[in-house]
Amino acid sequence: MKAKHSYRGAGLPGAVKSLGATSFFQDVASEMVYPLLPRFLVALGGGPALLGVMESVAQGLQAVIQGAAGRWSDRAGRRKPFVAGGYGLSALGRPLMALAAATSHVVALRAIDRLAKGLRTAPRDALIAEATPESDRAFAFSYHRGLDHLGAACGPLAAALVLLASDGSLRLVFALATVPAVVGWAVVQFGVREPGRPEVAVAAMPRPPAPFRVPRRLRLPLVAFFLFSLGNASDAFLLLRAGEVGYSAAGVTLLWSGFSVAKWLASAPAGRWADRIGKRRPILAGWAIYAVVYLGFAVVEGPVGLAALLALYALFYGLTEGVEKALVVELTGGETGAGTSLGVFHFATGTGVFLSSLLFGAVWEWASPFAAFALGAALAASASLLLAASGRSRRDPVKIAG
């Protein structure tokens, strides 16, 4: 299949395309706000350490809810209520950021937004897995992530236009982000139909095991995913780094938009490639790129160098995001519900990011940016060795339960 057809989602189920459209609108809203949060937090009196605390609290809450929501959706036999509820909660929180008057307000609203994301993510991913044949699953996940990134590219552009027209009003940007957030919720609420499940099939569905009990062949890869995420701090620190090397507020939004376009361009073709050759090799290649790029972030001194590193960093996203989920579903082998396994995956990676953002912010502020980025690169290299040791990806079709 030609690359241009990959971007259109040729051959993918309608549910996958609709969920991709929902993610597009939601990320327009999210990325109007996210690139400006570090600057907004600093304006209210915060710094790198508080940024690390904010991201850690947010990611930790997201990880816990993600692990639980996947299991809840398996038990309920339904995914859409969790997906629509999560998008709706995010939409409700957008206008409140424009009213934030203290750093504690920003931290709380960021936590609520990540709670909403945690509620919807594993059930949504389970919907994608169940709707798509195993032979196209990495492509389906990557196509979805690609539309997410395309929305993330449009969001900063919209924010930049508002900033230029309003003499730099961050609060107006936050208020207007409500519009695409509501549109995204409406798409999933009224435009996504959950496939019907015969009563017999639901009754025969295996009950999810105790929390975090997963198939044996998935355990070592999950440890590798956790180890990698422990060094994968929030990209908010890259936005902070962009300000340090000379980008203005409007410049940061444009930079982040270009970064998201590059991630969109990399996602769908990388997913199609992973379906053909197996899923571990693209992930390992992406993690190697991550280690190299993070070392580059530690030493880069100018805006051009940072932009070049971000372009390479986008390839890491394309090679790993959707493919990791496809590998998790493949290794599950029908031994438990898709929502439960994906929830465990998101819990493991989210817990790692929770710890990494806290650690990264502390090392940055009390040692140096170089030490923080070097630590991330070292953990990525260690995770790569562990995933490689866990064995090769299997290519046989896998039945999805739940």
Side-chain angles (χ1 to χ4, degrees):
M1 181 176 291
K2 294 182 179 179
K4 64 179 180 179
H5 293 154
S6 294
Y7 296 121
R8 296 172 186 167
L12 291 177
V16 175
K17 295 180 182 180
S18 295
L19 288 168
T22 298
S23 288
F24 168 81
F25 286 112
Q26 179 60 41
D27 255 58
V28 171
S30 294
E31 297 302 324
M32 286 180 69
V33 174
Y34 182 65
L36 301 174
L37 274 185
R39 189 177 295 262
F40 189 54
L41 196 67
V42 169
L44 291 175
L50 182 59
L51 180 63
V53 170
M54 179 180 76
E55 289 301 293
S56 290
V57 169
Q59 296 295 341
L61 183 59
Q62 178 181 328
V64 172
I65 298 300
Q66 278 176 334
R71 181 176 172 82
W72 293 338
S73 72
D74 277 343
R75 290 195 177 277
R78 297 190 65 195
R79 316 289 190 194
K80 184 175 173 179
F82 299 93
V83 180
Y87 283 117
L89 183 57
S90 286
L92 287 173
R94 298 298 174 205
L96 298 179
M97 187 65 75
L99 303 175
T103 57
S104 60
H105 299 164
V106 177
V107 172
L109 288 170
R110 176 67 173 158
I112 291 171
D113 183 67
R114 293 301 87 184
L115 183 152
K117 183 175 177 63
L119 183 65
R120 67 182 181 253
T121 299
R124 182 203 63 209
D125 289 346
L127 263 177
I128 293 172
E130 291 164 349
T132 311
E134 192 277 337
S135 59
D136 290 329
R137 201 165 289 137
F139 173 45
F141 280 122
S142 297
Y143 168 83
H144 175 269
R145 289 300 299 159
L147 282 178
D148 190 279
H149 294 315
L150 186 59
C154 295
L157 288 177
L161 290 175
V162 175
L163 288 171
L164 292 173
S166 64
D167 197 25
S169 175
L170 300 183
R171 294 182 185 276
L172 181 59
V173 173
F174 298 161
L176 291 177
T178 306
V179 176
V182 171
V183 173
W185 170 80
V187 170
V188 73
Q189 179 66 32
F190 303 110
V192 176
R193 293 186 61 186
E194 184 166 1
R197 300 182 186 185
E199 248 181 76
V200 173
V202 173
M205 185 178 65
R207 297 286 288 177
F212 316 131
R213 184 175 142 203
V214 295
R216 184 178 301 275
R217 63 176 181 165
L218 182 56
R219 293 174 188 173
L220 193 56
L222 280 174
V223 174
F225 290 141
F226 169 76
L227 185 61
F228 177 81
S229 65
L230 192 60
N232 185 17
S234 168
D235 284 344
F237 290 103
L238 301 183
L239 296 168
L240 193 63
R241 187 76 170 127
E244 289 184 348
V245 300
Y247 283 96
S248 64
V252 166
T253 61
L254 293 174
L255 177 72
W256 211 242
S257 177
F259 177 47
S260 297
V261 169
K263 288 193 285 185
W264 169 61
L265 291 172
S267 293
R272 180 64 75 187
W273 181 53
D275 281 326
R276 290 173 180 165
I277 70 166
K279 300 172 180 66
R280 277 188 176 82
R281 280 187 284 175
I283 295 171
L284 290 172
W287 286 1
I289 290 171
Y290 178 92
V292 171
V293 167
Y294 250 50
L295 288 175
F297 285 136
V299 299
V300 68
E301 294 183 354
V304 175
L306 183 70
L309 285 172
L310 280 175
L312 187 57
Y313 189 41
L315 182 57
F316 147 74
Y317 275 99
L319 289 168
T320 60
E321 282 189 312
V323 182
E324 289 174 356
K325 297 174 185 178
L327 179 61
V328 168
V329 175
E330 182 178 279
L331 294 178
T332 296
E335 295 181 37
T336 188
T340 298
S341 290
L342 287 162
V344 171
F345 163 74
H346 286 299
F347 177 81
T349 56
T351 300
V353 171
F354 160 71
L355 296 172
S356 73
S357 293
L358 191 62
L359 178 63
F360 200 95
V363 173
W364 179 308
E365 185 156 318
W366 295 315
S368 68
F370 176 83
F373 283 112
L375 177 61
L379 288 169
S382 301
S384 298
L385 293 175
L386 188 59
L387 183 63
S390 70
R392 294 184 178 182
S393 173
R394 297 188 180 182
R395 299 287 294 147
D396 53 304
V398 174
K399 180 181 178 183
I400 300 299

